[in-house]
Amino acid sequence: MAFHPDFEYVALEAGDRPDAPVYIVAAELAVSVAEACKLDAPAELARFKGSVLERTTYQHPFLDRSILGVLATYVTADQGTGAVHTAPAHGADDFYTGVRYNLDPTCRVDAVGPHPRRPEAWNRATPLRSRG
């Protein structure tokens, strides 16, 4: 997950349960993210520069693995969350970020598009489009 080192980010807690999820988003996008994700009155827990997120780890949303936080100046704050997925096998910017952080550059997508060996969790996912 790539963050811009100079952006200001916020940690938003979505709900008041003890196990409420916390989302890290660019401060200037926090209101639009909360609206788009239908977060009901998120609480700002912290505010910090993106540079402090370097080498932090995050839980993958549906696989049993962690994701490394990296810094990249190509991250923008004109839409979305101010954080972007990094795939070293899919473009020059991502490739060089992968080299800098020693990320696995293996491309797990075959020539047709889907992953040839899908993790068990993906077998239950709804496809975004049909190949038929």
Side-chain angles (χ1 to χ4, degrees):
M1 183 61 59
F3 303 95
H4 196 290
D6 299 327
F7 288 177
E8 190 167 82
Y9 287 85
V10 293
L12 298 179
E13 185 175 45
D16 55 6
R17 301 183 331 262
D19 64 341
V22 175
Y23 300 93
I24 309 286
V25 300
E28 66 184 270
L29 296 168
V31 171
S32 62
V33 169
E35 289 173 359
C37 296
K38 297 179 179 27
L39 303 180
D40 187 30
E44 183 178 310
L45 300 178
R47 186 173 284 255
F48 41 85
K49 283 286 192 193
S51 59
V52 304
L53 298 171
E54 185 172 34
R55 300 201 180 275
T56 53
T57 57
Y58 304 89
Q59 176 58 49
H60 191 284
F62 56 88
L63 296 177
D64 185 23
R65 69 176 194 207
S66 64
I67 301 167
L68 181 66
V70 300
L71 302 180
T73 57
Y74 54 80
V75 175
T76 65
D78 57 341
Q79 63 180 344
T81 63
V84 297
H85 173 265
T86 299
H90 297 275
D93 287 337
D94 286 12
F95 175 79
Y96 291 117
T97 298
V99 168
R100 190 167 56 249
Y101 289 96
N102 196 31
L103 302 177
D104 181 5
T106 304
C107 180
R108 292 180 175 83
V109 178
D110 67 18
V112 181
H115 290 259
R117 284 177 293 201
R118 296 176 182 208
E120 180 60 32
W122 293 6
N123 291 336
R124 295 184 301 273
T126 303
L128 295 177
R129 65 177 176 82
S130 171
R131 295 189 338 167

